Structures are given as C-alpha cells and as structure tokens.
Amino acid sequence: MAPTASIRSVEAFQVSWQPGDPPGRRSALVRIATEDGVVGWGEASPMQGGLHSIGIIERDLAPGLVGADAFDTGVLYDRQLHRNVKLGPEGALTGALAAVDIALWDIKGKTLGLPVHKLLGGAWRAEVPFYASIGGNAGRTVDETVRVVEARWRRETPAAIKIRRDGDRSILDLDIPGDIAKARAVRQLVGDGFPLAFDANNGYSVGGAMRVGRALEELGYIWFEEPVQHYDVRGMGEVAQRLDITVSAAEQTYTLQALVDMIHAGVRMVQPDIVKMGGITGLMQCAAICHAHGVELVPHQTQPTIGHVANLHVLAALMHLTKPAEYADASGRMDAGFKDPPRPADGRFAIPQGPGLGLEVDEAEINKRR
C-alpha cells in the first residue's frame, strides 16, 4: 500500500529571534502536522517579516490543505497557485506556497526515513562550497567596505565573495565612481585569483550598468548581479548581451513563465530564491528549465536555517552546479531555534543526511519567540 500522510493542521507565524527585532529581521515559518504526528517545517520570504505570506497561508491556503495528502506536493502546489492566482501570483503568494511546499517535502522525507535529496533523484555531491554574501556597502566608504569584507573573508574562509550595494532603488547611478572604487579595493584585498561577484541590487540605468560592468570585467569579477531594475527585463537582457561578464538576475522572479522571459531576453545565469518562488517544487521546475536552455542556475538564498537547508538539498540534486551557494547571514541569531543549525567548515556546507530536511527544530525555543 502506498504511503500517505493526511494533513491535520497548518500553522503560520512570525518569529522574532532577538528582543526588539524590527519586522525585516523576523522570520515567517510554517508548521504542518499530519494525523500520524509527523511535523514538517517551512519558511516563507522574509520581506517585511513575511506577514503577507503568513496571512495568505492562514486565510487562503490552510483550509485547502487540511485533510489533503502531504505526498501530493505537485498537485497541492498547482491547485493552490491557481485557486489564488488573482492575488498576484508573484511575491507574497509564491512565498506562502514556498513555505508550505518545503514543509510538505520535510514531511515526505520524515515519513519515508529519507533525506529530501534522495526524493529529488539523489545527490551528485556530499558538500557544497559557499560564497560570503556581504551587503550594505552603498552606505560605507571604501575603507569601511574593505574592513567588513576582510573580516568575513578571514573568519569564514569562503570559496568566493559577493559584495552587495543595497542602496536606494529609487535613485539610479548615484555613485558609480565610488562603487567601482569599492570593487577595485576588494580585488586588491583578496588578490587576482580569488572569485568575486558584485550585486548592484538594481541600482543602475542601462548606461550606468555598462560602465560598472566594464570595470568589473577588467577587475576579473565572475558575475554582475541584477544591474538594472528587476522588472526591466528588456534592459537586463541588453546589459547581459553587451557585456562579457556573466550577468545574473531573477532573484525577484516568481513564476516559471517570467523566468523563461528573462532567459529569452539574454540572461544566462538566473537566481530564483527557494523561499520566494514555490519552495523545493518551484526550484526543481526552475532547474529543468535552466537545463533545457543551457542556463546556469545559482539560487539566491539569504535565510540561514530552514531556507538554507532546503536550498542545499536542491543544490545536491543538480547535475550542473557551477557556482557556490549563497551564505548571507553568518550571525547565528537564529541558532537558538534549532538543535543542529547548519555550520560551514573549510568554505563548505555538508548536505544534510537526516530524514526530511535533516534539521532538528527546538519547538520550545521557537514558541518562546513566536
């Protein structure tokens, strides 16, 4: 008889990890329990603390999930997407679906006693290198940027480093000479052979992006992320086709059709996020599209626990993994909620081997912070 896992309850809630956490530092989690007592955990996009996705889960998704079979991940994903498609479908809805989907895969793995990557077809690798993703540099001087990068570089020994602008997206081309100076100073810090990437966070016009991109090419950076506004698909494609450096985008792409539009525009490296674009089911669909189009899939991922571990399972199952995994938050601020939080060693993360996500949640500690 085929295994089933009837869903008994769906809880979505916000977690404040530290006293006084502002909304943007909180996490949006989902806890799904089956009639047999198996519990799966998922995570939604943390934008504005994930409150919009939490509301969608509670009001719109949960009623259609209770009583369903957790093994029906594909059916539940598409059914819930199309029932609620007029909510977007981008952003809060796909973030809500991501949290639910990750939790359902966690339940499937725990029920069968297998890690998620086994359910995805097996692991091509036992560990994944990571890059240190270092944000907030638009507000720093050149010297301050170098100090922050050096501290992470020495402490974490990553396989690569990405420096992010994180500036005001409503003002384009604000300080192109300063941005180039920071990129040059970081290159001087780490030496010519160390892999570097630059994330513009949608901060340039097409002309500004060309100017910065040419400088990054001369400095030997390996990719240039989201140089123009994410919704300017044609502009993103123009920059990608005119520069030699790999241009990446699609962190803020939420549907498969939008991903294909970005690829057709000329972008050859895409970065959908597992907690923004449909979870494990959504990201594996992205992997199939990228494989068919010969495009690099390098998922964006900033959440250090549930989202991170779910992402590692998908990365393990990809045949062509061309870049390291993103590691943005090494602060350990969420560690209290997990008995075995993921830790890097020698620039790498081990692929979890326990059942489901392979992450043991400390529910008592989570409940204290709800």
Side-chain angles (χ1 to χ4, degrees), residues 99-112:
V100 168
D101 183 79
I102 292 168
L104 296 182
W105 280 95
D106 193 25
I107 287 171
K108 286 203 289 186
K110 288 174 177 174
T111 301
L112 297 173

Side-chain angles (χ1 to χ4, degrees), residues 164-250:
R164 310 194 316 263
R165 284 188 71 257
D166 290 325
D168 186 342
R169 297 185 187 201
S170 66
I171 305 173
L172 300 181
D173 303 340
L174 180 63
D175 185 18
I176 288 176
D179 294 340
I180 293 173
K182 292 168 190 174
R184 181 175 293 111
V186 171
R187 169 54 74 201
Q188 292 171 347
L189 168 70
V190 300
D192 289 340
F194 191 83
L196 290 174
F198 188 95
D199 188 347
N201 297 112
N202 318 104
Y204 304 123
S205 65
V206 169
M210 293 301 301
R211 182 178 170 189
V212 174
R214 294 296 185 210
L216 296 175
E217 288 173 349
E218 293 178 4
L219 292 168
Y221 277 63
I222 59 175
W223 83 79
F224 186 19
E225 189 166 327
E226 292 204 312
V228 302
Q229 297 284 8
H230 74 280
Y231 47 75
D232 184 6
V233 176
R234 184 172 60 181
M236 196 78 77
E238 180 182 352
V239 175
Q241 291 185 62
R242 292 175 62 189
L243 289 174
D244 292 329
I245 188 174
T246 295
V247 170
S248 68

